Amino acid sequence: MSTTQPPPDGRPAGGATSEAGRAAEATHRALLERWNALLVSARDGAEGPDPTPYGEDLLGRWAEPHRRYHSTAHLRTVLDRVDELAAHLTPGEPGGQAPAAESTASGATSGAAVGAASGSAPGSDLGADLGADLDAVRLAAWFHDAVYRPDRSENEERSARLAERALPEAGVAQARTAEVARLVRLTVSHDPAPRDLDGELLCDADLAVLSGTPEQYAHYAAEIRQEYAFVPDAAFREGRSTVLHQLLGLPHLYRTPYARTHWEPAARHNLTTELRLLQAQP
């Protein structure tokens, strides 16, 4: 990680020449390319302004210096996890059987494909044939933590309102914009309704971090603590323990069959381990 502060557009400052700086610049370019392709796809053939300034603005937000976990790396991970989940949708899965009429009526049928990272071009039929609006899900991933202050409780609402302002201006239809905003607000609870495939995809992708290796999970937990450094240790342990208890008390952490099979066991192990460590602290 570069030790330099990123400027407002999210690029490494000062023309960084270190290996970390070059890696950050490459990540920035790759994400910007993904954003540009996604926005063009999400317009469904309609004309619109240059996508790049919108992507630069979002990347600048994700690179704000007060962020540790909720950073550009998290954005990229969520996008990749959406791709992974989308690639494993099948008509035989409960989420993959959402009636087309319902999806169309709610503006929830997203059409973007599995994305550049997985080799598919935006706009493919994968997901759309199963009732998912993958363009909306990916746009929601871009916006879901676009506004983030750890000392505020209205981050998701402010992020949703940002999407409601920016996307119509950028050429996205009102129905899809409304679906993106709905999905962003859903990340408050991560509790999609039955047969809400768009919501399942976004929420599972957002919570995929819980299923990392023990080392990855420890890094995530440390970054969360850094973001909440203003909270005293005792209060943080109490609040964090409450959240972990709530998560472990859920019948399922994930909604999609793929995530339940491949991510849930590791996630429950990680949550249990963190809770045990917190309880062991004096």
Side-chain angles (χ1 to χ4, degrees):
M1 178 180 294
S2 174
T3 58
T4 57
Q5 294 286 354
D9 70 352
R11 296 175 182 272
T17 57
S18 67
E19 182 177 348
R22 289 192 296 271
E25 179 67 20
T27 297
H28 181 98
R29 288 196 305 269
L31 282 170
L32 189 59
E33 289 175 3
R34 291 173 78 168
W35 164 262
N36 289 350
L38 172 60
L39 185 56
V40 170
S41 174
R43 292 170 178 165
D44 289 333
E47 294 295 325
D50 180 4
T52 299
Y54 297 91
E56 292 284 12
D57 179 76
L58 285 167
L59 287 169
R61 292 172 180 273
W62 283 94
E64 291 165 338
H66 65 271
R67 297 174 183 246
R68 294 298 181 268
Y69 169 66
H70 295 88
S71 65
T72 304
H74 174 56
L75 168 62
R76 181 177 58 184
T77 297
V78 173
L79 291 169
D80 289 346
R81 292 298 198 171
V82 170
D83 290 350
E84 183 178 350
L85 291 170
H88 290 88
L89 289 176
T90 66
E93 294 178 356
Q97 313 239 354
E102 284 184 18
S103 299
T104 302
S106 65
T109 50
S110 124
V114 178
S118 58
S120 297
S124 82
D125 292 333
L126 181 61
D129 290 343
L130 301 172
D133 183 350
L134 294 178
D135 279 344
V137 175
R138 288 191 177 85
L139 286 172
W142 275 90
F143 278 93
H144 82 285
D145 284 323
V147 178
Y148 181 74
R149 289 284 301 274
D151 58 340
R152 304 283 180 86
S153 61
E154 71 279 9
N155 291 313
E156 293 83 1
E157 179 60 29
R158 294 176 67 197
S159 295
R161 291 180 182 177
L162 176 66
E164 289 170 333
R165 293 193 306 271
L167 289 176
E169 179 184 294
V172 177
Q174 187 57 49
R176 178 164 282 151
T177 296
E179 175 66 355
V180 172
R182 181 188 74 84
L183 291 170
V184 171
R185 292 183 172 103
L186 187 58
T187 60
V188 174
S189 65
H190 292 95
D191 187 19
R195 302 177 70 82
D196 178 6
L197 182 54
D198 290 352
E200 291 175 353
L201 291 170
L202 179 65
C203 290
D204 281 7
D206 195 25
L207 295 179
V209 64
L210 304 179
S211 68
T213 65
E215 294 76 15
Q216 290 170 336
Y217 186 88
H219 182 70
Y220 147 74
E223 288 183 327
I224 291 294
R225 184 64 184 105
Q226 290 169 17
E227 287 188 339
Y228 286 87
F230 59 91
V231 179
D233 287 342
F236 180 84
R237 284 197 301 271
E238 180 180 357
R240 182 70 177 170
S241 296
T242 297
V243 170
L244 296 176
H245 273 297
Q246 291 172 343
L247 288 171
L248 288 168
L250 295 173
H252 297 285
L253 294 169
Y254 300 107
R255 301 302 182 90
T256 60
Y258 177 86
R260 287 183 182 178
T261 299
H262 293 84
W263 301 349
E264 183 122 2
R268 287 193 174 275
H269 173 78
N270 288 330
L271 293 170
T272 301
T273 300
E274 183 185 2
L275 181 59
R276 187 182 303 121
L277 291 172
L278 288 172
Q279 292 173 337
Q281 293 180 18

